[in-house]
């Protein structure tokens, strides 16, 4: 299946066929999927193409817009003209310059900050049908222009200190918003469904999500074996979550932090290793009547054996499927890392 590249930390894009095969090998039958930690929506997208009913959930609202664009906005509903119009100031509209004022030299160049300010505010005026697609092209463009596609460091200098050269990252980072908007609009139109699948999107913490499905897919944040670091999804993507709450950004900026983290949407559920096992236990208990499919890695904390034990508390039959070595997107330096799917029936 041809799948969009989503530039997201921990995306399962390259594992989807393996996950599907693992479910098929164990003759798992299901019609509906609850994708509780949906991220880019790529797992939901794949399952929707396979004819499953989908409930997608993620705690970060910008991810929900990406999922809405891919799953709930039909092909042809957002055009190149729509994309280009987003870049223009509209006469008579008053624009704030919250990004230019607060994030000078943090993530983007001043010209780009100004464009982001204009685009976000233009999106607010769009009809609902086009909003998610507009956010999609903005967020993909914002990610592709960032070193490592992330926002946990103030490192615009990595980009600007590169001498002008015709190679790799520099070329990618310096593409204009206009070119990127056209590129992503074209891409989106290739991937959007013509006839929309049956999809519901929810934006809540996994433990608060009250939806049910035949199969619950659980792809939580991962912790490395060794304690330390502690970079959460919110740390990595706070800027995009901030854009979803544009007017409130100034109230949420943490000025003690060099990267001026925007605190809106922050939540520690499943982001603290000390609570992880208890939270997972509670989550699986909540979905004990569904098939559980839990993704994790051999190089993480907790170990696969510990995870197996947690699933076993609620499910009688367990299959542990090793999906091979797939240093996942944005983290290729862990050669021994194997991706695992734990199925609980
Ligand atoms: C490993 S990623 C999922 C990747 C996704 N399966 C994909 O292929 O794109 C984990 C996701 O969980 C989300 N998340 C973190 N804590 C959460 C919580 N308590 N409830 C729901 N989602 C959460 C993060 O925003 C992130 O998108």
């Amino acid at each position: 299946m041809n799948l969009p590249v989503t530039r997201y930390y921990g995306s399962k894009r390259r594992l989807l066929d393996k996950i599907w095969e693992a479910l098929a090998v164990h003759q798992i039958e299901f019609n509906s999927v609850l994708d509780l930690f949906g991220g880019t929506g790529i797992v939901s997208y794949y399952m929707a193409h396979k004819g499953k009913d989908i409930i997608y959930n993620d705690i970060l609202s910008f991810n929900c817009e990406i999922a809405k664009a891919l799953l709930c906005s039909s092909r042809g509903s957002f055009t190149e003209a729509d994309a280009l119009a987003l870049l223009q100031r509209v006469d008579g509209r008053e624009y704030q310059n919250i990004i230019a004022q607060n994030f000078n030299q943090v993530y983007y160049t001043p010209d780009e900050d100004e464009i982001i300010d204009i685009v976000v505010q233009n999106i607010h005026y769009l009809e609902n049908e086009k909003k998610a697609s507009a956010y999609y092209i903005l967020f993909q463009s914002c990610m592709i222009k960032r070193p490592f596609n992330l926002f946990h460091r103030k490192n615009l200098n990595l980009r600007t200190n590169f001498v002008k050269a015709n190679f790799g990252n520099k070329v990618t980072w310096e593409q204009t918003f206009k070119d990127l908007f056209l590129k992503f609009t074209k891409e989106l139109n290739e991937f959007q469904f013509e006839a929309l699948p049956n999809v519901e999107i929810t934006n809540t913490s996994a433990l608060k999500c009250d939806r049910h499905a035949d199969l619950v897919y659980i792809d939580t944040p991962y912790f490395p074996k060794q304690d330390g670091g502690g970079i959460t999804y919110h740390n990595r993507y706070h800027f995009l979550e901030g854009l979803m709450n544009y007017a409130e950004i100034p109230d949420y900026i943490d000025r003690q932090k060099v990267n001026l983290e925007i605190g809106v949407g922050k939540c520690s559920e499943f982001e603290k290793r000390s609570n992880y096992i208890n939270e997972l236990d509670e989550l699986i208990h909540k979905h004990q009547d569904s098939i559980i499919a839990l993704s994790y890695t051999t190089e993480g904390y907790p170990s696969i054996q510990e995870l197996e034990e947690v699933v076993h508390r609620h499910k009688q039959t367990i299959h542990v499927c090793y999906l091979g070595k797939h240093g996942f997107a944005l983290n290729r330096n862990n050669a021994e890392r194997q991706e695992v799917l734990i199925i609980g029936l």
Side-chain angles (χ1 to χ4, degrees), residues 123-267:
I123 293 177
H124 295 163
Y125 287 89
L126 283 180
E127 56 208 272
N128 276 342
E129 202 199 6
K130 294 183 192 283
K131 269 191 179 144
S133 299
Y135 277 124
Y136 179 96
I137 63 165
L138 174 63
F139 295 153
Q140 295 300 331
S141 304
C142 284
M143 282 192 262
I144 210 171
K145 287 171 106 15
R146 289 286 308 142
F148 313 109
N149 305 141
L150 298 173
F151 298 88
H152 64 306
R153 297 223 170 88
K154 176 187 175 178
N155 55 5
L156 176 63
N157 59 329
L158 276 187
R159 186 183 140 191
T160 47
N161 288 353
F162 259 82
V163 265
K164 276 240 175 287
N166 190 21
F167 67 91
N169 289 340
K170 180 75 180 170
V171 176
T172 308
W173 295 331
E174 299 309 334
Q175 289 173 90
T176 63
F177 270 103
K178 180 181 168 195
D179 287 349
L180 289 168
F181 272 24
L182 292 175
K183 168 189 154 83
F184 288 124
T185 302
K186 187 162 176 275
E187 200 176 287
L188 193 53
N189 273 294
E190 276 161 28
F191 289 109
Q192 282 172 330
F193 289 83
E194 250 161 69
L196 293 179
N198 188 4
V199 177
E200 182 188 339
I201 309 256
T202 60
N203 174 211
T204 177
S205 92
L207 281 172
K208 293 211 178 94
C209 182
D210 57 5
R211 300 299 197 280
H212 291 280
D214 298 343
L215 183 142
V216 177
Y217 178 63
I218 301 177
D219 188 19
T220 67
Y222 295 162
F223 300 98
K225 260 188 193 156
Q226 311 301 332
D227 200 354
I231 305 170
T232 65
Y233 273 86
H234 184 271
N235 289 154
R236 291 183 185 108
Y237 296 105
H238 68 96
F239 185 80
L240 303 183
E241 192 63 7
L243 293 183
M244 290 294 300
N245 300 274
Y246 183 74
E248 290 141 71
I249 288 175
D251 301 334
Y252 280 95
I253 294 176
D254 184 345
R255 301 202 183 266
Q256 308 298 317
K257 294 201 171 154
V258 183
N259 73 338
L260 298 182
E261 191 178 311
I262 306 167
V264 66
K266 209 169 178 167
C267 167

Side-chain angles (χ1 to χ4, degrees), residues 54-66:
I54 303 294
I55 304 163
Y56 163 101
N57 177 67
D58 199 279
I59 197 159
L60 294 176
S61 61
F62 85 90
N63 274 330
C64 295
E65 293 301 316
I66 292 178

Side-chain angles (χ1 to χ4, degrees), residues 6 8-13 16 35-43 56-60 62-63 204-207 217 219-222 233-234 237 267-271 279 328:
T6 40
Y8 194 63
Y9 193 89
S11 162
K12 291 296 168 297
R13 184 173 178 273
L16 291 166
D35 185 7
L36 268 176
F37 299 80
T40 58
I42 205 76
V43 176
Y56 163 101
N57 177 67
D58 199 279
I59 197 159
L60 294 176
F62 85 90
N63 274 330
T204 177
S205 92
L207 281 172
Y217 178 63
D219 188 19
T220 67
Y222 295 162
Y233 273 86
H234 184 271
Y237 296 105
C267 167
S268 63
E269 186 191 288
F270 285 101
E271 293 280 15
E279 288 172 341
F328 70 96

